Amino acid sequence: MILSCQYPLLGLSLRVSTTASFGLAILCSVLVFSGLQMYKTHLGSTRLMTLVAGYIASWLFIFMLTALSNLENIMFGKGFQARVIPEVALCLILACSAAGMVHRVSVTVCLLCSIVGLYYLNKMSQSASTAPSVPVTANSKKKKL
């Protein structure tokens, strides 16, 4: 997975390599996890903040899944894709357990927000990986007898 940002009006497409994307995703994962742990008393104090903690933990899921997918692409080649059972389930369990360290309601919010984020991540990945198809035109010249 390559992190990219496109500016169609300016004609720019900013991309980061797989190795740099792995480093950025690991860095963001560590920052989000440490932020959850540093502010867990504040995040678990009110109902609204427990919801915010679950939402933040869902970002931890997205960053960990990005890092794991990039690591697999580095190790196994560019065609390797993250699967549901080992990779997605592992990242989801880790993110929900990090949310559970804040408050148990945050686990449910993390699970729901992570599923929504996974849907949009999959949708974005499919639209970026499919090349525009070129219609095939067949010559329909009839033979004269």
Side-chain angles (χ1 to χ4, degrees):
M1 180 179 294
I2 295 176
L3 294 176
S4 67
C5 182
Q6 295 185 4
Y7 298 100
L9 295 177
L10 299 176
L12 295 175
S13 175
L14 306 175
R15 291 187 176 235
V16 178
S17 68
T18 305
T19 309
S21 176
F22 170 70
L24 288 171
I26 285 290
L27 179 67
C28 289
S29 297
V30 169
L31 289 174
V32 168
F33 180 75
S34 63
L36 281 172
Q37 292 304 306
M38 284 185 349
Y39 297 110
K40 72 179 176 178
T41 56
H42 180 65
L43 290 170
S45 62
T46 63
R47 289 182 184 177
L48 178 64
M49 294 309 285
T50 57
L51 299 177
V52 170
Y55 177 72
I56 292 171
S58 71
W59 277 102
L60 179 64
F61 165 73
I62 296 293
F63 290 137
M64 284 192 303
L65 185 62
T66 302
L68 186 61
S69 179
N70 285 330
L71 180 65
E72 288 174 343
N73 279 331
I74 291 169
M75 291 176 62
F76 303 126
K78 291 285 184 190
F80 201 82
Q81 293 180 351
R83 307 228 188 267
V84 173
I85 294 298
E87 292 92 356
V88 173
L90 174 73
C91 292
L92 191 59
I93 288 170
L94 291 174
C96 286
S97 63
M101 290 180 192
V102 175
H103 197 274
R104 62 181 178 212
V105 175
S106 299
V107 176
T108 307
V109 176
C110 175
L111 182 67
L112 294 174
C113 290
S114 295
I115 289 172
V116 170
L118 185 64
Y119 170 75
Y120 283 109
L121 190 65
N122 185 30
K123 190 175 180 181
M124 188 172 48
S125 175
Q126 285 178 353
S127 68
S129 64
T130 57
S133 61
V134 178
V136 178
T137 58
N139 287 338
S140 61
K141 293 182 181 178
K142 295 184 179 179
K143 292 183 182 178
K144 292 184 179 180
L145 296 174

